[in-house]
Amino acid sequence: MARPHSLEIHDQREFADAVARGSLVGHRIQSLDLTGETAALLSVPATGAVFLGCPMRPDAAAKVRAEGALVFPPVPDLPFDPYRARLYSPDGLFAGVEEEGYEATPDALAYAWFQRTKADGDVFASMLRAIHDDAISDALDELLAGARVVGVMGGHAMARGTDAYAGAARLGRALARTGLTVATGGGPGAMEAANLGAYTAPLADPVLDEALELLAKAPSFTPSVTEWARAAFEVRARWPRGGDSVGIPTWFYGHEPPNAFAGHIAKYFANATREDGLLARCGGGVVFLPGAAGTVQEIFDDATPNYYESRGEPTPMVLVDRAHWTERLPAWPLLCALAADRPMAARIALVDSIDEAPEALRRLTAAR
């Protein structure tokens, strides 16, 4: 019996291979332009196939429908592809930022569409968002299959040019160099810093210091997302062979643009889906840097399945900055109270500095 993913067709080569085998029966074809593939579509059976956002000629569409295939046509005038087969890339989301500025990019246009439709009660718009987010989850699962993922969570307000930002970048680099796949919330601040660190992991050590210096000229995404993004792409252009990591942002927080250092970007409309999916995939544990409400939410979104062991045995949780998590936002005492006399007690740690986090994570992992 074929595995479901083996029946998915994401590109023209996979389509050609299926046609050469003589069948599209039961396949799922995502976002392919099939207007030039009429002869192929007419020549092979397509019973039970599903065509998601695939333009095709009327005779080809009529033929596959007659065989019982489902055809979901492309949606006109939509600034995103709800059926997409791959995750986003920085170049894709920020296309046009150098020439026209951020407001003209696909990322900004998708957010503007979301702002117009999120509260209008239109079931079609909400359906499109749900289809898009499910396609993103499917692509994310395919990307991370077999990977050991560690999450780095933290606030968007951490500015470039600060010691905290440099520390978060060193953390991302250190984790990536141990073979872990770094995943973040995909936004600015601490999230960008960790993705930057992973990007510089395969490069010489001085590259990170030089990159930090270049980025410091645009410390924040406010007041100008355009200048903030252009500084990141300047770094990427100077060192084009950086390492991969994952960013999982959301248009729900539309004032936060995605960062350009995550090689793969899983951007969602529904924040709840995004949060749960991000944490569920971090089987290697999560490091929580200082943050505000969003990071507090992530701590306890992670703690709940660890408490109930609903995803299996608890995964490591490392909180960084004792004063922040015991005084300013005292999440640590509550986390300890929840963990008391439960297996998750051996999977939590509080450290004073970012540089202590990799060793704490290693220790908690070894204790499993």
Side-chain angles (χ1 to χ4, degrees):
M1 183 177 184
R3 296 180 293 106
H5 282 173
S6 71
L7 295 175
E8 293 183 5
I9 294 177
H10 297 156
D11 56 41
Q12 296 292 346
R13 180 189 57 78
E14 292 173 349
F15 179 81
D17 288 346
V19 171
R21 291 193 297 270
S23 177
L24 291 173
V25 172
H27 284 69
R28 279 77 175 105
I29 302 94
Q30 291 177 256
S31 296
L32 287 189
D33 186 348
L34 300 178
T35 53
E37 301 290 350
T38 300
L41 291 168
L42 294 177
S43 68
V44 297
T47 306
V50 180
F51 294 86
L52 300 167
C54 299
M56 62 181 78
R57 300 294 183 192
D59 51 344
K63 182 262 186 185
V64 299
R65 284 194 177 102
E67 293 178 334
L70 292 177
V71 178
F72 292 78
V75 181
D77 303 320
L78 201 64
F80 61 93
D81 178 5
Y83 310 114
R84 61 180 303 113
R86 310 288 188 193
L87 297 183
Y88 293 100
S89 68
D91 289 334
L93 283 177
F94 284 101
V97 71
E98 293 288 355
E99 301 80 15
E100 301 177 73
Y102 174 71
E103 295 307 318
T105 65
D107 185 65
L109 295 174
Y111 175 60
W113 177 88
F114 180 43
Q115 287 293 94
R116 290 194 305 271
T117 63
K118 67 180 181 180
D120 64 8
D122 183 357
V123 67
F124 183 54
S126 62
M127 182 191 74
L128 290 173
R129 293 194 295 269
I131 291 172
H132 169 274
D133 286 1
D134 191 65
I136 289 294
S137 291
D138 182 64
L140 189 58
D141 283 339
E142 291 173 2
L143 174 74
L144 296 179
R148 189 150 177 267
V149 182
V150 61
V152 178
M153 310 298 159
H156 69 264
M158 185 182 288
R160 296 167 173 174
T162 63
D163 289 342
Y165 185 95
R170 290 195 304 273
L171 171 65
R173 184 177 66 180
L175 295 172
R177 284 179 171 177
T178 66
L180 294 164
T181 296
V182 174
T184 77
M191 297 170 280
E192 180 189 56
N195 288 128
L196 168 66
Y199 185 84
T200 63
L203 307 175
D205 283 357
V207 168
L208 179 55
D209 293 331
E210 293 179 54
L212 291 170
E213 186 175 347
L214 285 173
L215 292 171
K217 67 184 182 183
S220 174
F221 63 96
T222 59
S224 173
V225 175
T226 298
E227 295 307 313
W228 175 84
R230 285 173 177 169
F233 280 100
E234 181 181 348
V235 169
R236 289 175 57 92
R238 183 165 176 180
W239 296 283
R241 293 184 175 81
D244 261 345
S245 63
V246 179
I248 308 181
T250 173
W251 280 293
F252 182 81
Y253 297 127
H255 63 291
E256 293 184 17
N259 78 73
F261 293 110
H264 307 279
I265 302 176
K267 192 153 192 179
Y268 287 86
F269 287 105
N271 188 50
T273 305
R274 167 250 190 177
E275 289 277 12
D276 185 66
L278 169 57
L279 294 165
R281 290 173 173 87
C282 293
V286 181
V287 177
F288 297 92
L289 303 179
T295 310
V296 172
Q297 177 182 340
E298 288 162 345
I299 289 173
F300 292 104
D301 279 348
D302 196 28
T304 300
N306 282 341
Y307 179 89
Y308 289 112
E309 299 184 59
S310 55
R311 296 179 187 145
E313 66 178 50
T315 53
M317 301 177 67
V318 178
L319 277 61
V320 176
D321 192 330
R322 189 176 304 273
H324 186 85
W325 294 121
T326 62
E327 299 171 18
R328 286 189 287 277
L329 293 175
W332 177 250
L334 179 53
L335 186 61
C336 289
L338 284 171
D341 301 319
R342 304 186 74 88
M344 70 177 286
R347 304 289 186 270
I348 63 173
L350 175 66
V351 298
D352 291 306
S353 72
I354 287 177
D355 292 336
E356 297 175 79
E359 172 57 26
L361 188 66
R362 187 205 62 76
R363 185 175 67 253
L364 297 180
T365 301
R368 297 170 72 177

